Amino acid sequence: MTIVGTLVVEGPPRSLTTLIRAVPITVDGAVKGQVRAGKRLSLALAPGSHRVQAAGGPVLPVRLGPGLTTRVRVERDAAGQLHLTEINPD
């Protein structure tokens, strides 16, 4: 049995401009799904280092531990571009 890590991608905060758009999520160069405002996308991935992007924005390197969950959030910068930020565990 292989133990995987989980990457949870939270969509951008709800607003009139983000409600209708789905944001594509790319992991290691391959589109793995999409996330809408106020929703979450959970991905089971191999433990180790991965490169994650939202809508072709800047790459966020993440490291997944076996059996652990890493959370990231889609955010919009001052220029309106989408990017990901890692959420610190509670």
Side-chain angles (χ1 to χ4, degrees):
M1 173 164 67
T2 303
I3 297 178
V4 298
T6 302
L7 176 66
V8 175
V9 182
E10 294 186 3
R14 290 181 181 217
S15 74
L16 291 177
T17 57
T18 60
L19 276 178
I20 56 174
R21 287 190 39 214
V23 178
I25 302 300
T26 305
V27 179
D28 299 329
V31 175
K32 295 292 186 178
Q34 53 189 2
V35 65
R36 292 188 181 276
K39 302 292 182 182
R40 289 187 176 138
L41 171 67
S42 291
L43 301 169
L45 302 168
S49 297
H50 296 279
R51 298 168 50 86
V52 186
Q53 286 179 285
V59 171
L60 176 69
V62 296
R63 181 151 183 84
L64 300 179
L68 300 177
T69 299
T70 299
R71 290 174 167 41
V72 297
R73 180 181 301 130
V74 178
E75 295 184 348
R76 190 175 299 274
D77 64 18
Q81 299 293 342
L82 295 173
H83 65 278
L84 293 168
T85 58
E86 193 162 352
I87 301 170
N88 292 329
D90 296 332

